[in-house]
Amino acid sequence: MKNVTKVLACLAMILALLPSSTVQAASPETSGAKTGQTVFTNACDMAGYIYAGYYHCSTAVNPDFNGPIHIVQAELHKDNKTTPVYLVGISGTELIFNQPTNIITDLKCGFEQDNYYLREIVNVICDNVPIGSNLIITGHSLGGMEAQQASGNLRLKLRYNILNVVSFGSPLITPEKREGTLRRLGDKADIVPYLSVNTIQRPVQQILGLEQEDGGYGKDFAEAHMRSYLREDVWGDYDVLGFKGGNATLTLQADEVEGYGAYIIPWLKSLPTIDLSPWS
């Protein structure tokens, strides 16, 4: 078990460096929607929503960065049925002072342990989403791991109806009595979806539970991990809930999306963002 721990720890260190690739968030459709309304038609739109939570996005620092957690009220359209939901987006590993998106959280989440990021996610949801609401939780990398953990959080399950969990480039996390339908999407070149203890404990579920597409990245797993999920030519056939050939879409008001910070030490949250990334 010690050797396994060392291997996973090394892999998690690799994961912590992945956001060095800058990304450009996808632009969802607006045609055919009501004035000011945005339509998410596929998985790439969901990935773009999550990526807005990265401090490093687009060509450099994301000027609209408001924290790694995003929430917006939306309408889910599926099988000719409309359901009111709140969409929660969670970004992944990034080295920012006092933000718990670091290697320690990678390791804790990978071994399915409680962590600061999970607690902050739960607090933000409970503070900003009305009790009894339907939730769709989605995340990239570490954010997708946390989304899975959140789906088993007792506090959230008692307050909300967790309908779906969609992860991008994330390994399997199995919280007790998880709620919501889980869909995990992973590029064939992306190794991160295997970086959790479940590769050893539940290898069949880890491998078979991953929806894969080939973005043509070969051995460049870092590029696959950061860029593949925004590509319409790779993931455009997957709907917003992660089903290939599915018909689920989301409508929302883009100007109503709220970003929220996550903090290791809450009383230091008034400090400006201090970027610790080695590539800055």
Side-chain angles (χ1 to χ4, degrees):
M1 186 61 188
K2 289 184 178 179
N3 290 333
V4 171
T5 302
K6 289 180 180 179
V7 170
L8 286 175
C10 291
L11 292 175
M13 290 179 70
I14 295 173
L15 172 60
L17 298 177
L18 287 176
S20 59
S21 298
T22 55
V23 295
Q24 174 68 55
S27 299
E29 294 183 5
T30 56
S31 60
K34 297 178 181 178
T35 303
Q37 206 170 54
T38 297
V39 181
F40 285 3
T41 61
N42 56 37
C44 302
D45 294 335
M46 296 286 273
Y49 176 75
I50 298 164
Y51 278 36
Y54 283 113
Y55 183 68
H56 281 271
C57 193
S58 189
T59 57
V61 172
N62 176 10
D64 300 318
F65 176 77
N66 288 310
I69 307 166
H70 281 74
I71 299 178
V72 68
Q73 190 172 8
E75 288 184 341
L76 171 66
H77 306 282
K78 179 184 177 185
D79 299 330
N80 296 316
K81 180 181 178 182
T82 298
T83 305
V85 300
Y86 278 82
L87 176 61
V88 181
I90 308 169
S91 65
T93 307
E94 198 159 31
L95 305 182
I96 295 176
F97 175 74
N98 201 34
Q99 183 172 296
T101 54
N102 51 42
I103 187 173
I104 300 300
T105 306
D106 283 319
L107 288 169
K108 285 190 173 183
C109 198
F111 283 98
E112 306 195 348
Q113 302 297 310
D114 186 29
N115 56 82
Y116 281 116
Y117 199 14
L118 175 62
R119 289 177 230 164
E120 286 288 271
I121 292 164
V122 171
N123 287 336
V124 166
I125 294 173
C126 290
D127 289 345
N128 295 281
V129 178
I131 294 176
S133 299
N134 300 311
L135 295 183
I136 295 176
I137 310 176
T138 185
H140 170 254
S141 192
L142 170 61
M145 297 163 69
E146 296 288 357
Q148 294 175 67
Q149 275 198 308
S151 70
N153 181 269
L154 181 60
R155 187 178 171 198
L156 292 184
K157 291 194 299 181
L158 289 174
R159 294 169 65 101
Y160 306 107
N161 304 312
I162 302 173
L163 303 182
N164 297 86
V165 178
V166 186
S167 73
F168 297 85
S170 306
L172 176 67
I173 302 297
T174 54
E176 185 178 358
K177 297 181 180 179
R178 178 175 58 209
E179 288 189 0
T181 301
L182 171 64
R183 300 292 287 177
R184 293 169 51 231
L185 310 185
D187 190 284
K188 287 186 176 180
D190 188 356
I191 66 171
V192 177
Y194 305 101
L195 302 188
S196 78
V197 70
N198 283 310
T199 295
I200 298 164
Q201 294 183 345
R202 300 176 179 86
V204 175
Q205 295 94 320
Q206 179 81 288
I207 297 170
L208 296 184
L210 183 66
E211 299 294 323
Q212 290 191 302
E213 297 292 337
D214 189 355
Y217 292 95
K219 296 181 180 180
D220 195 347
F221 79 90
E223 283 290 294
H225 183 65
M226 292 305 299
R227 298 187 184 277
S228 175
Y229 308 107
L230 297 173
R231 287 176 51 187
E232 297 271 346
D233 60 319
V234 181
W235 299 101
D237 290 337
Y238 288 76
D239 70 6
V240 296
L241 300 181
F243 289 90
K244 191 170 186 176
N247 61 15
T249 63
L250 285 164
T251 58
L252 54 97
Q253 297 290 136
D255 59 359
E256 293 181 359
V257 176
E258 295 288 345
Y260 300 93
Y263 307 99
I264 298 172
I265 306 174
W267 56 270
L268 292 179
K269 65 182 181 181
S270 60
L271 289 176
T273 300
I274 301 175
D275 185 13
L276 301 177
S277 306
W279 51 85
S280 298

